[in-house]
Structures are given as structure tokens and as C-alpha cells.
């Protein structure tokens, strides 16, 4: 076999697609928030409205 560059078959690095605007107050979003948030501060933090000095949210499941 000839030695040469290997071609990667990843995603093409062309134009990046913009994320669509999401309405965080839609009925579907509110229903989802109802199940995942425990209080108003938690709700705001999950939606990206953090306050200075707040602890960073941990992503993923922790090991138990």
C-alpha cells in the first residue's frame, strides 16, 4: 500500500448553519420547564439568565 495522506470522512467544513430562533415562552417550552425547574431562580438559570457569583451548572450525570 502506498503511504500518503488519509482522507477523513467527517462533516464538511463549509457554511455553518444558524440556529433557529427559539421562543422560550412557547407552550412546549413552558411544559418542559415545568418538569425540569424547581423554582424561579432555577428556571432563570436554565434559560441562560445567570446572576453574578452564581455557581456554574454541571453538565451530564454525576457518578454515584
Amino acid at each position: 500500500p502506498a503511504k500518503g495522506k488519509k482522507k477523513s470522512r467527517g462533516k464538511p467544513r463549509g457554511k455553518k448553519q444558524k440556529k433557529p430562533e427559539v421562543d422560550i415562552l412557547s407552550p412546549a417550552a413552558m411544559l418542559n420547564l415545568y418538569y425540569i425547574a424547581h423554582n424561579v431562580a432555577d428556571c432563570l438559570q436554565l434559560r441562560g439568565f445567570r446572576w453574578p457569583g452564581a455557581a456554574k451548572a454541571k453538565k451530564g450525570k454525576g457518578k454515584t
Side-chain angles (χ1 to χ4, degrees), residues 6-53:
K6 293 181 181 180
K7 293 183 180 179
S8 63
R9 294 189 177 197
K11 292 183 181 179
R13 295 189 181 194
K15 295 180 182 177
K16 291 185 179 180
Q17 293 180 349
K18 281 189 170 182
K19 290 185 179 180
E21 288 292 323
V22 179
D23 182 15
I24 62 170
L25 298 176
S26 69
M30 286 290 117
L31 183 62
N32 184 29
L33 189 62
Y34 174 78
Y35 289 112
I36 64 172
H38 302 290
N39 54 38
V40 176
D42 195 22
C43 163
L44 291 173
Q45 187 169 0
L46 289 169
R47 292 295 181 233
F49 299 98
R50 292 172 180 84
W51 57 92

